[in-house]
């Protein structure tokens, strides 16, 4: 099952890559798709929302 999260502060491909890598660092099995337009991050393979939140914030972005 996948979930979509709103992430604020992403403005370029490097930002998207940072968010993707941060999430995969805490959940290697995760499938992550980042859409800069709208600031949406879709994650499959992670059941714990707090892991995603922490990864996003550790990467320097705002989990909204």
């Amino acid at each position: 099952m996948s979930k979509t999260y709103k992430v604020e502060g992403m403005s370029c491909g490097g930002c998207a890559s940072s968010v993707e890598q941060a999430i995969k660092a805490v959940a290697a099995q995760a499938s992550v798709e980042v859409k800069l337009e709208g600031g949406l991050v879709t994650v499959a393979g992670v059941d714990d929302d707090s892991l995603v939140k922490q990864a996003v914030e550790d990467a320097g972005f705002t989990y909204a």
Side-chain angles (χ1 to χ4, degrees), residues 1-38:
M1 184 165 121
S2 65
K3 293 183 181 181
T4 301
Y5 304 91
K6 175 79 172 160
V7 176
E8 296 176 349
M10 296 186 301
S11 61
C12 65
C15 297
S17 179
S18 292
V19 169
E20 180 179 354
Q21 289 175 10
I23 294 170
K24 287 187 173 185
V26 297
Q29 78 283 2
S31 169
V32 181
E33 180 183 351
V34 179
K35 292 187 179 182
L36 287 176
E37 285 188 33

Side-chain angles (χ1 to χ4, degrees), residues 10 18 20 25 40 46 49 63:
M10 296 186 301
S18 292
E20 180 179 354
L40 301 177
V46 178
D49 292 340
Y63 177 94

